[in-house]
Each structure stands twice: as structure tokens, then as C-alpha cells.
Amino acid sequence: MTALLEVEGLSKRFRGLRAVSNVGFAVPKGGIVALIGPNGAGKTTTFNLIAGVFPPNEGSVRLDGRPITGLKPHQVCAAGIGRTFQIVKPFGDLTVEENVVVGALARERSVDTARRIARGVLERLGLAEQSFRPARSLTLPDRKRLEVARALATRPTLLLLDEVLAGLRPTEVDRMVEVLRDLNRREGLTILMIEHVMRAVMALSDHVVVLDHGEKIAEGTPADVTADPRVIESYLGAESL
């Protein structure tokens, strides 16, 4: 399968601290890849390197064969990568729809077109009935969905999801899993996700990459990775056996 995202030899240091070291993996077009590992493993730093928050010390990132290493975040967004953030911070005084319109305007000049895009995204994510509520009034599950909606409004070919299931109850996790599965299967959206909810990782992902202390220690199918002794020792724990 053709790779949409190719990460090669990615490394990043902060004042001598090695956050990411020689990380490489690929995300196929139309696939769902999970990036997992313990806290502090370098997962979000890897996302930030892909999304242009800061440049890598070494390595490269290519999207659909085009180099995007070192681009600014707005340039990475324009190239086709949308992302969410681990800590959701909507514009609280704006309505739900206005928040998504802001996302759409990242690639649209017409406010009317951006509004049409926003309404379509909100409908897909089940937030249409809350369009005119202030974002600050939403529950955590709905703020999570709004975060995904803002990213989708940028019309990405690749969506980076940073722990969108964290803090959700099991029924809320199941609902979000169905939303993401639908986006992937019906619309062909490619997804790279950081996630700690392993049952969601097992249900959604085709391929899993495991980081620990900034290094890739394993990758493969969900079943293969969860049976890997290195992954069990560093992340899953003996109780997963």
C-alpha cells in the first residue's frame, strides 16, 4: 500500500535532553496507525515535529512524497495535515459553529464557504444541534468531538489525533471509535493517532508503532505488538498477558 506519510530518522533534542531519537515509520493511504507508549515516550514530540511546531535536529518527513520537514504549522496544514491537541482549548466565547468556521478558514477565503463546510462537519460528528451554543458550555466528550471537527474543517488528507479518547467513559469511547471508523472507511481519511485506550487501539488501528524513551521499540499489527515482551515490559505491564 502506498505511504501517505513517511517519517525517517526523526530526532529532537531539548537542551541536551533527547526527546526523540531516530524514529521512523510510514502511514499508508487510507490506513489507521496508532502511536503508543508510556508517558514521556516522545509521542507528542513526534506529532509536533510532523506538524511543524518545531524542526527536527535530524531526519525527514514526507507527505504524499513531498518533503515537509521544517515547514511552519500553517504550511503543514495547507499541505494537508490536520491535528488535534491533547488538551482541548476551544474558543470558549465563540459558538460551536464559529469554532469550526475558524478551522475551515485555514484553507478557505470565503466565510460563506467556510460556514457550509463547518455545518457539514458538525452534522457528521453529531454536533449540529449544538451549533449555536457557546463552546465553553460543552461537556468534555463534546469538546473532544469539537476538537476533531475543527481539524476536519481544514480538509486534511491526514488527521493527527492526540489522545482524543482520554477522559471519556467507555460508552463515549465507543461512540468516538465509530465516528473515526466511519471517517476512515466512508471518506478514506488517513489517521495517525496517539492513544492510551488500548481497546480502541485494537479496534481501530491496522498498524501500531511503539515508542519508549524517544526510541521506536516495536511496530506491527496490534496483535503482534501487544504480545511483544519489550512492549509488555515498558508499557502494557504483565497483567496484559
Side-chain angles (χ1 to χ4, degrees):
M1 190 176 292
T2 305
L4 178 62
L5 180 74
E6 298 168 276
V7 175
E8 293 186 357
L10 214 56
S11 297
K12 185 64 181 179
R13 295 181 295 276
F14 297 100
R15 297 181 181 273
L17 173 66
R18 184 183 62 181
V20 174
S21 179
N22 195 34
V23 168
F25 58 88
V27 180
K29 289 183 178 179
I32 301 180
V33 173
L35 189 61
I36 70 171
N39 291 331
K43 303 182 299 297
T44 296
T45 299
T46 300
F47 261 32
N48 285 335
L49 293 171
I50 294 169
V53 175
F54 33 68
N57 294 115
E58 292 94 26
S60 65
V61 181
R62 291 191 300 275
L63 181 69
D64 207 12
R66 296 169 294 162
I68 61 169
T69 315
L71 294 184
K72 300 296 183 183
H74 70 278
Q75 295 172 316
V76 173
C77 178
I81 295 181
R83 72 166 296 182
T84 69
F85 292 85
Q86 186 175 349
I87 300 175
V88 293
K89 293 183 178 180
F91 299 107
D93 292 333
L94 299 184
T95 67
V96 168
E97 181 178 296
E98 288 167 341
N99 267 268
V100 184
V101 167
V102 170
L105 286 171
R107 299 187 67 174
E108 286 292 338
R109 293 188 176 183
S110 166
V111 174
D112 288 340
T113 301
R115 187 172 288 113
R116 286 196 297 271
I117 291 170
R119 289 173 179 171
V121 170
L122 290 171
E123 186 69 37
R124 277 181 286 167
L125 291 180
L127 286 170
E129 293 184 357
Q130 304 192 65
S131 294
F132 301 106
R133 291 183 59 184
R136 66 173 178 273
S137 69
L138 295 181
T139 63
L140 175 61
D142 286 344
R143 290 200 305 274
K144 294 275 189 176
R145 284 192 290 162
L146 176 57
E147 183 79 358
V148 175
R150 290 198 301 181
L152 286 175
T154 68
R155 294 186 297 165
T157 55
L158 172 65
L159 183 61
L160 307 182
L161 300 175
D162 195 347
E163 295 192 39
V164 295
L165 304 178
L168 303 187
R169 294 189 293 268
T171 55
E172 296 162 348
V173 168
D174 292 342
R175 185 177 182 185
M176 184 66 84
V177 165
E178 286 305 313
V179 168
L180 297 177
R181 183 182 286 124
D182 189 64
L183 288 168
N184 174 253
R185 292 180 178 176
R186 291 195 181 188
E187 302 185 24
L189 183 65
T190 305
I191 297 173
L192 174 61
M193 58 188 292
I194 294 173
E195 195 50 66
H196 287 293
V197 181
M198 286 306 299
R199 67 189 186 91
V201 170
M202 298 294 287
L204 280 171
S205 59
D206 313 303
H207 193 80
V208 180
V209 177
V210 189
L211 300 185
D212 187 30
H213 293 96
E215 298 181 349
K216 184 176 73 174
I217 62 168
E219 71 174 304
T221 66
D224 288 343
V225 163
T226 53
D228 190 310
R230 295 168 299 176
V231 179
I232 294 169
E233 179 181 1
S234 68
Y235 181 51
L236 297 178
E239 65 274 10
S240 67
L241 293 172

